[in-house]
Structures are given as structure tokens and as C-alpha cells.
Amino acid sequence: MSVRVRFAPSPTGPLHIGGARTALFNYLFARAHSGVFVLRIDDTDKERSTKAFEDDILDSMRWLGIDWDEGPDSSGDFAPYRQSEREERHRDAALRLLAEEKAFYDDEKVLRLRYPIGEVVVRDMVCGDCVFNMQSLGQEPALLRSNGTPTYHIASVLDDVEMNITHIIRGQDHLTNTAKHQVLFEALSGKVPTFAHLPLILGEDGSKMSKRNTEGLTTVTEFRDAGYLSEALINFLSLLGWSHPEELETLSREELLRSFDLGRVNQTAAKFEFQKLDFLNGWWIRNLPVEHVAREARAFVDDYSDLIDERGPEFWESVVDGLRGKLTRLSDMAAFGPLLFSLTPDIADDAREHFSEGDAHAGFLSVAKRWCELLAEVPLEGDRDCYTVEQFKKMTKILKKELDVDAKTVFQGLRVLVTGSLSGPDLQVLASSIQRSVLQERARSVVAAFSS
Ligand code: GLU
């Protein structure tokens, strides 16, 4: 029988990182077995489910590249894929169980599943055999509320039966549900799918993952907006509870599709390590084709879009290529807009302090004076509007050689004249990406600020 798995999010919130990990593992498992990956929207909670959350979930999955074969937006043999559109079936199935005496009405008119006396063994691909004494699991699960509406339990299990789901891969937090669902599967169809429960994801402090231990980021959209690449996030998510057979850490989608295996998922809780995510993101920023990174980075310099376009098609790619070596998040690029285009840079406090008095001040002024002369004297090459890296290096050499100023003051002074700050990205790349007229204007504005 061919593999059919499903990811069944409730649209009661945006797609969280934990849900994305569940979606990814289902997707990888389906692809590894040439199976089918179903996206089903579990919207039985009508009050809390919204179309906006459903859209966020679908958009987040698309952005991550976790594509599904059957789902609410595509036709499939088992449509509809929204549980709210399957309510009749859920109610009929629950009433069938009542007729077969597999369910009963309690005093409050809630229809509940009848439990067997004794134990239920869940055979789990990750956790092994888990034995549950049903009587210790509390009240039997509700199938129909007293107003007659079906619950998550009947909806989920019936849909899994009707959609021919072969493997249920979901978080360990569902393990006790699974014991109940197993009884329900047997009651409805006599067949039980294979289960695989994924380990919990904990924050770095060992407590439940929440905004507090993930730098305020919990949803896929938040990570995207904070400047993480989908390649890095997929790579990071894959390592939350799974490891590569050769312990490789930087893993492409192709490599994951080749090597993913539920047998290597561990039982113990996974830790959300931010440092690792940052490391992977930096690695992907450096290693993906520059066109791709440049395209993704554009979102973070939106305000400078026209200025970037004016500089021609290769400009932005060469800037990103020159500066991506030290980036951790694409959002670090937000600073590049003003760095590349502003005519009057803000002068950082430490720069102002450093060059405000004595020898440092005098040294700075002589660097500034000669720098302004060089900007007027040294011609641009060809039809360029900015200097080349080589030219900038030569101009720096001239300053060092001609002036009676130590090398450090030359470098720092030049950086302040170009950027207004003592620190920042590679100055050669930056200076050779800024138009000469802008460099001139900036130097004038910085000198004026130090002379007043
Ligand atoms: N809608 C449920 C959830 O989001 C689905 C659980 C399941 O996979 O059955 O937790």
C-alpha cells in the first residue's frame, strides 16, 4: 500500500515553528517513499478558526517549499480537505458508532466513545510500544457535543480513515490522544495506521518553547521577516529531533530528501538553539547563488528600491556578494540602504568622541582634507560612477604614504568620512559601491560636523 500522510493544522493561529517541523517531517517521509502528502485543515473549532490563519499556514508552507499533493486549494480524490466542510460525515459516523453501541450519551447529552476495559498498546515508530491503561486516561473522548457538533477526535480519525492515511506523524503532545484515537480507529474501520510521535521542542533554557526563549520569534512569518532564509530554516527544522546518518549539519533540501528516515528521529526532546540557526543562516547566505540571496535581501531595503534599480541590474548583486561574508540575518542588510545612498551620514557617538580633540582631531582633519582632494583629482574609470576596489586601495595607500598620520587614524578616519561610523561592513566593498558624488557630499558633511 502506498504511503499517504497528512499535516493537519488548526487555523486558530499562524504556523508556528513546531507545526512547521511536523509538516516538514511528513513531507520528507512522503517524498522518501514516493507517497502522497495531504494538507488538511482541522477547523472544527469554529470560534477560533479564521481564513486569515489558514492563509498564513498555506503561505508559510509555500515559502518554506513544503509542497503538498492534496489540500484545500487543489482538487484531490478525497476533497473536501477542510473539516468544516465534512461535518455531515463526522456526525453520521458518530451516530453509527452509537447504533453499534461503540458510543454512548452521558448525562450531559454528550456522545462519547466507549473504551475497552484494560490496556491499549500504541506501537510507535519513534517511541516504541507505549502501554496505556485506558481507565487512567480520564473521561472517554467526546464525539458529538451536546449541541450535536462533531469534535476534533471524531473528525480527525474519520478523515484519516476516509483519506486512507497510512502513517500519522505528529508531536509527542498528542500521544495520549493517540491511545484514544487507536480505539476510535478500530471502532470505525478495524484498521489502525502507523504512528510516529515527534519529540517536543524546548527552548534553550529547557522550558517549553515560547516567545521568551526564542528571542520573541515563534511563527514562520516572524522568522522570515527577521531575515532568515527558507533554506536555513528547513535545514534547522530538520535537525530538531533528527540527525543525518553522517552527522552532517548543513543540509540542502536535496540532501534531506535523499537521507531523511523516521528511524533516525529520537525520542528525547529537541532543543531550539538560536546560535545554530544563526550559524546555518550565515552559511546559507554565503553559499547560495548570489542572485538568490540578492533577491531575498531586497525586501529589507524596500525604501531604497528605486535608487537600487537606478544603479543597474548588476549593482545590487555585487553589493550583496561583496558584503554577504559577515551577515547573519538578511535583515542586517537594512543598514545598507543608508550606508550606500545617504548624503549626510549620521555620525556615531564613538566616532565623534574619538576624533573630537587633540592629535586625533588634527590627524582626522588632514586625512579629510587629502581625501577630498583625491576625490576631486582621481578620475573614474570608463563609464563607471564609482571607484573600483583597486582605485580605492590606491587612494588609501596615498593617504598613508603622504600624510604624517599613523595608519590606524588613516583607516578609521576614512571609515568615518565614508560611513560616519568607526565600525561596519568591509570598507573597500562599500566605498567602491557608493557613487563618487555621494562620497564627496558625505565627506563635506562629515568634515563640517567635526569643524563646528
Ligand atoms: N489539528 C491538530 C493539531 O493542530 C492535528 C493533530 C493531528 O495531527 O492529528 O494539533
Side-chain angles (χ1 to χ4, degrees):
M1 191 171 44
S2 66
V3 162
R4 290 180 57 85
V5 293
R6 88 304 193 266
F7 173 53
S10 302
T12 52
L15 185 62
H16 277 78
I17 218 70
R21 194 267 315 251
T22 302
L24 176 65
F25 282 28
N26 273 284
Y27 158 85
L28 292 174
F29 181 75
R31 296 289 172 264
H33 292 87
S34 309
V36 172
F37 176 42
V38 177
L39 172 62
R40 188 179 72 218
I41 301 297
D42 275 10
D43 55 352
T44 46
D45 183 344
K46 290 193 194 119
E47 248 113 76
R48 292 170 55 228
S49 298
T50 71
K51 182 70 171 59
F53 288 140
E54 181 183 314
D55 290 344
D56 176 275
I57 293 168
L58 269 64
D59 289 345
S60 299
M61 288 176 65
R62 285 192 196 104
W63 179 72
L64 286 168
I66 303 178
D67 48 315
W68 53 94
D69 306 302
E70 297 172 19
D73 61 335
S74 51
S75 57
D77 292 347
F78 302 89
Y81 292 92
R82 246 181 235 107
Q83 289 193 322
S84 56
E85 296 165 25
R86 304 175 68 84
E87 208 175 302
E88 271 314 301
R89 301 163 192 251
H90 304 145
R91 189 176 299 109
D92 290 351
L95 294 173
R96 220 162 41 238
L97 292 180
L98 176 70
E100 293 170 5
E101 297 185 358
K102 292 172 179 167
F104 66 97
Y105 277 114
D106 69 8
D107 297 341
E108 326 267 82
K109 293 273 176 283
V110 173
L111 186 70
R112 293 183 182 278
L113 175 69
R114 225 181 261 290
Y115 275 163
I117 305 289
E119 289 174 347
V120 162
V121 182
V122 173
R123 298 191 193 288
D124 188 274
M125 285 177 79
V126 176
C127 305
D129 287 357
C130 304
V131 183
F132 292 90
N133 180 316
M134 298 312 283
Q135 277 60 50
S136 68
L137 290 184
Q139 216 176 9
E140 293 89 340
L143 304 179
L144 296 180
R145 301 183 187 91
S146 54
N147 64 5
T149 56
T151 63
Y152 156 67
H153 298 294
I154 184 72
S156 171
V157 174
L158 185 75
D159 289 350
D160 288 340
V161 169
E162 293 193 336
M163 294 178 180
N164 288 340
I165 300 302
T166 57
H167 294 74
I168 295 185
I169 305 167
R170 59 185 177 190
Q172 251 175 42
D173 49 326
H174 280 289
L175 201 50
T176 50
N177 270 338
T178 297
K180 301 171 189 176
H181 289 183
Q182 186 157 313
V183 176
L184 195 44
F185 272 110
E186 274 159 3
L188 284 170
S189 72
K191 276 195 308 205
V192 178
T194 305
F195 289 100
H197 287 90
L198 308 176
L200 298 176
I201 305 171
L202 300 179
E204 234 153 339
D205 55 3
S207 65
K208 202 166 163 268
M209 194 170 68
S210 71
K211 281 205 187 304
R212 255 170 293 122
N213 50 30
T214 56
E215 299 186 14
L217 309 176
T218 51
T219 69
V220 170
T221 309
E222 285 166 351
F223 280 93
R224 184 196 63 195
D225 293 348
Y228 291 95
L229 285 162
S230 63
E231 288 79 1
L233 213 50
I234 287 280
N235 187 166
F236 178 71
L237 289 172
S238 77
L239 296 171
L240 288 175
W242 174 83
S243 60
H244 186 271
E246 287 151 46
E247 304 288 333
L248 302 181
E249 291 260 287
T250 47
L251 300 160
S252 66
R253 179 184 308 273
E254 292 66 37
E255 181 54 35
L256 288 173
L257 288 168
R258 215 174 7 250
S259 54
F260 184 80
D261 167 16
L262 276 180
R264 291 191 60 83
V265 172
N266 35 276
Q267 275 184 56
T268 46
K271 263 210 180 133
F272 188 102
E273 292 171 288
F274 235 99
Q275 248 190 337
K276 191 170 187 173
L277 175 60
D278 282 342
F279 161 77
L280 290 173
N281 205 50
W283 190 88
W284 280 103
I285 287 177
R286 291 191 300 282
N287 287 282
L288 280 168
V290 66
E291 314 84 75
H292 179 91
V293 181
R295 202 166 45 242
E296 296 296 316
R298 280 294 290 257
F300 298 92
V301 285
D302 234 9
D303 293 349
Y304 295 86
S305 239
D306 293 345
L307 289 166
I308 291 172
D309 288 340
E310 271 170 30
R311 300 289 301 274
E314 267 122 58
F315 166 74
W316 181 240
E317 276 178 26
S318 72
V319 168
V320 171
D321 203 26
L323 299 177
R324 65 174 161 167
K326 290 212 181 103
L327 292 181
T328 302
R329 299 178 179 188
L330 290 178
S331 49
D332 300 341
M333 303 287 291
F336 290 8
L339 275 178
L340 291 166
F341 298 108
S342 157
L343 293 177
T344 50
D346 290 333
I347 298 181
D349 290 344
D350 56 351
R352 190 179 290 283
E353 210 168 297
H354 190 73
F355 286 129
S356 60
E357 278 167 36
D359 288 352
H361 183 68
F364 173 73
L365 289 183
S366 56
V367 172
K369 180 163 173 281
R370 189 72 187 105
W371 171 238
C372 289
E373 286 166 11
L374 288 173
L375 286 175
E377 285 164 14
V378 181
L380 294 166
E381 285 178 9
D383 57 358
R384 293 176 56 92
D385 57 3
C386 43
Y387 290 113
T388 64
V389 171
E390 280 313 310
Q391 284 181 301
F392 181 72
K393 276 195 207 163
K394 258 191 214 140
M395 289 154 88
T396 312
K397 248 190 215 149
I398 295 175
L399 293 173
K400 270 201 312 185
K401 218 166 97 194
E402 286 184 6
L403 301 177
D404 187 20
V405 175
D406 61 288
K408 198 167 164 211
T409 301
V410 171
F411 288 126
Q412 289 183 327
L414 205 44
R415 186 177 274 284
V416 173
L417 288 160
V418 174
T419 69
S421 171
L422 284 171
S423 58
D426 187 322
L427 192 62
Q428 285 174 13
V429 177
L430 202 59
S432 58
S433 309
I434 299 171
Q435 287 167 305
R436 176 168 71 171
S437 56
V438 174
L439 288 177
Q440 285 171 321
E441 189 54 43
R442 268 189 209 184
R444 268 197 290 278
S445 122
V446 174
V447 171
F450 276 97
S451 314
S452 54

